[in-house]
Amino acid sequence: MKNNSMWSFKLSTAALVLIPAAVGINFIGKLFASLLKLPLWVDSIGTVLSSMLAGPIVGALTGIVNNVFYGFTTSPVSFVYAITSAVIGLVTGIMAYKGWISNVGKAIVLGLVVGFIAAIVSTPLNIMFWEGTTDNVWGDALFALLLSKDMPLYLASFADSIVVDVPDKVITVLLSYLIFKGLPKNVKNMYDNTGEIERL
Amino acid sequence: MNNMTLYVKKDSPIHTVDPLTKLLFAFYSVILTYILSSHLPVLLILLTTFIVLLTGKVFKYILPVIGVSFLLIISIIIIQGFFHPSRATVLFEIGPITIYKEGFSIAFLIALRVINMVAAFGVLIFTTKPDDLVNALLHKGLSPRFGYVLLSVLQIIPQMVSLTGKITDAQRARGMETEGSLWLRFKSFIPLLGPVVLNSLNETRERSIALEIRGFNAKGKRTYLREIEIYRHSRSLKILMTVVFMSVIVWRFVI
């Protein structure tokens, strides 16, 4: 067990190739969510999964590449949230390394933390770029309600992000956790920088 | 080869501009609309961006992309118009609903900024092939390994989408329900996503072996398959834009 800190990660070929695959998984997750008409985004399964597999740095890179890709293909507005995506990857990677994916209960806690932090990161972005609104009907309805009760803007905007991000990230992390648990060992070992045998 | 990009092949002056110059244009344009906080200058910047789009013969393609952000724009106008904290002056009333002048004014400004953000990046996206952009970045010193990552996203996603069609059919043939109550639809999420994930992770294994065999990690000087394109006026355009950008900042904060 030498040199297995989560930060001492050299970007191996396997880890680099994981990034586009994870962006693809994000895309497919979103596609299925809309195909099945689920009332959630579920658009970061790939980011979360890549963090669980290959650590916070790969997770953060996946998040950034994901939003840059969306920026170039669907809507440039998603460039703004590249930071949020990166933080989601970073937080998941760190917590997964510290053992927060050892059972379902812990995975739910991980989802709550990720959702909470994602909301914290999104709020200043939302205020800076569009005075606090998000793109979600339920969140924005709450935002409007809180503003009409004369709550400060940042608090209303934070509440707006929380009601959207927390449930979405809990579901996302839970789904990723279930998939991660089901992956065969040789796939998991491929990204594990301590696995000498499987090193390509 | 792939249908993921929004690139439109046209013959226009904007298409022949250096991708990095267009990237710089997009950044300057977006930053300026956020530095300037009154309607007229932002509107002028938006008009400039539209003129660039028209010159690039891609103006009609920007409309659906603005459409994607339409929900955001609408929600900004409604919510800020009704509820912005600085509301004081009534603009007009529709029954019990009151629209306030201050909120509406701010909402209009934000809407202009959002449209400009979409349009400014649209200039880059519609008139630049992703390959050319990555190529230009590589010549500026981006790691070739990372350049590969950026470009392969565009190739992997269409492959994965076609795979999902097969998997959905296969699971339906096994009797899985994909329509019905919310819980029923939710339950089918994992059996649909699981195989795609496993398959694509397995493919990364083969792909990384194939790449390493072909010298992906090789050290030493790299050669390029594609010739370095010579873009005219690249430097002068960048200098011109930077001068305009800087003078606006000076005008805004000093004078």
Side-chain angles (χ1 to χ4, degrees):
Chain A
M1 294 291 273
K2 57 173 175 11
N3 195 26
N4 65 345
S5 152
M6 61 180 162
W7 302 111
S8 75
F9 196 87
K10 271 192 277 167
L11 284 174
S12 68
T13 309
L16 275 177
V17 175
L18 178 64
I19 296 173
V23 174
I25 294 169
N26 281 342
F27 187 85
I28 300 299
K30 206 175 166 180
L31 190 74
F32 276 135
S34 67
L35 210 72
L36 297 169
K37 303 188 195 70
L38 299 183
L40 299 158
W41 297 321
V42 217
D43 57 356
S44 47
I45 290 186
T47 311
V48 169
L49 208 54
S50 71
S51 309
M52 289 177 176
L53 282 167
I57 293 173
V58 173
L61 280 174
T62 305
I64 294 169
V65 172
N66 179 66
N67 281 46
V68 169
F69 168 77
Y70 278 112
F72 277 106
T73 53
T74 340
S75 167
V77 167
S78 62
F79 286 126
V80 172
Y81 295 104
I83 305 168
T84 313
S85 291
V87 171
I88 291 170
L90 212 56
V91 173
T92 316
I94 294 169
M95 286 187 70
Y97 182 81
K98 302 268 183 212
W100 285 92
I101 45 170
S102 51
N103 59 47
V104 180
K106 283 189 172 174
I108 292 174
V109 176
L110 171 61
L112 287 170
V113 173
V114 170
F116 201 73
I117 293 179
I120 292 176
V121 178
S122 301
T123 305
L125 294 174
N126 287 334
I127 292 177
M128 212 162 78
F129 283 96
W130 12 89
E131 292 279 318
T133 45
T134 59
D135 212 347
N136 183 287
V137 183
W138 304 110
D140 283 350
L142 179 71
F143 178 69
L145 183 75
L146 291 177
L147 275 189
S148 69
K149 297 238 187 308
D150 285 316
M151 289 271 261
L153 183 73
Y154 66 93
L155 220 62
S157 180
F158 183 62
D160 183 344
S161 301
I162 280 280
V163 293
V164 179
D165 271 323
V166 171
D168 185 61
K169 295 303 172 288
V170 170
I171 301 281
T172 302
V173 170
L174 213 54
L175 286 171
S176 315
Y177 166 78
L178 292 174
I179 294 171
F180 179 75
K181 284 284 149 184
L183 289 177
K185 234 185 176 138
N186 63 346
V187 169
K188 284 187 206 167
N189 280 347
M190 188 161 51
Y191 309 102
D192 184 0
N193 51 342
T194 59
E196 290 291 319
I197 312 144
E198 278 292 326
R199 210 180 62 196
L200 288 161
Chain B
M1 185 177 67
N2 56 60
N3 49 9
M4 293 307 296
T5 69
L6 296 173
Y7 171 67
V8 185
K9 195 170 171 0
K10 284 264 169 78
D11 187 24
S12 85
I14 306 294
H15 281 71
T16 58
V17 173
D18 172 22
L20 297 179
T21 309
K22 285 182 270 191
L23 189 63
L24 197 68
F25 168 77
F27 276 117
Y28 281 168
S29 176
V30 171
I31 293 169
L32 281 184
T33 58
Y34 281 91
I35 288 175
L36 299 164
S37 46
S38 47
H39 293 71
L40 192 65
V42 176
L43 198 64
L44 284 176
I45 293 169
L46 181 62
L47 282 179
T48 315
T49 312
F50 279 168
I51 289 167
V52 177
L53 279 171
L54 282 171
T55 320
K57 300 178 185 167
V58 288
F59 185 72
K60 66 175 179 189
Y61 299 96
I62 197 72
L63 299 175
V65 185
I66 294 176
V68 173
S69 319
F70 199 65
L71 199 67
L72 179 70
I73 295 170
I74 289 289
S75 76
I76 288 170
I77 290 181
I78 292 176
I79 289 173
Q80 305 296 350
F82 291 156
F83 303 111
H84 195 272
S86 67
R87 59 187 184 275
T89 327
V90 174
L91 188 64
F92 53 85
E93 289 181 56
I94 318 165
I97 304 160
T98 319
I99 291 195
Y100 294 91
K101 197 178 163 202
E102 288 81 3
F104 189 74
S105 155
I106 288 169
F108 186 61
L109 183 66
I110 303 167
L112 287 179
R113 285 170 174 168
V114 173
I115 296 172
N116 183 67
M117 182 188 290
V118 174
F121 277 99
V123 171
L124 174 70
I125 295 164
F126 290 121
T127 64
T128 313
K129 255 193 279 180
D131 319 32
D132 289 338
L133 178 62
V134 174
N135 216 15
L137 287 171
L138 288 179
H139 286 292
K140 279 279 170 202
L142 178 79
S143 145
R145 283 152 50 96
F146 203 69
Y148 165 81
V149 170
L150 292 178
L151 283 181
S152 64
V153 175
L154 291 167
Q155 292 169 359
I156 283 179
I157 290 187
Q159 279 176 27
M160 286 175 74
V161 171
S162 74
L163 181 71
T164 58
K166 284 181 207 159
I167 286 169
T168 313
D169 287 345
Q171 297 288 46
R172 278 193 184 136
R174 292 191 181 100
M176 190 192 71
E177 305 263 4
T178 53
E179 277 146 45
S181 71
L182 180 64
W183 176 239
L184 199 72
R185 282 178 277 142
F186 191 73
K187 269 197 304 191
S188 56
F189 202 78
I190 289 266
L192 285 177
L193 197 64
V196 187
V197 171
L198 189 57
N199 186 69
S200 42
L201 290 182
N202 264 329
E203 263 178 19
T204 62
R205 171 191 206 78
E206 283 157 34
R207 192 168 282 130
S208 45
I209 293 170
L211 281 170
E212 291 208 343
I213 289 171
R214 286 162 175 77
F216 189 63
N217 286 330
K219 301 205 167 43
K221 202 167 157 44
R222 308 222 169 193
T223 54
Y224 294 90
L225 178 65
R226 293 156 59 98
E227 298 261 324
I228 305 168
E229 288 206 40
I230 310 291
Y231 296 103
R232 282 162 49 210
H233 314 304
S234 178
R235 180 181 288 266
S236 46
L237 272 174
K238 275 184 201 151
I239 292 171
L240 179 72
M241 287 191 312
T242 308
V243 167
V244 172
F245 181 69
M246 286 307 185
S247 40
V248 173
I249 289 181
V250 168
W251 173 73
R252 174 77 176 79
F253 290 108
V254 180
I255 303 167

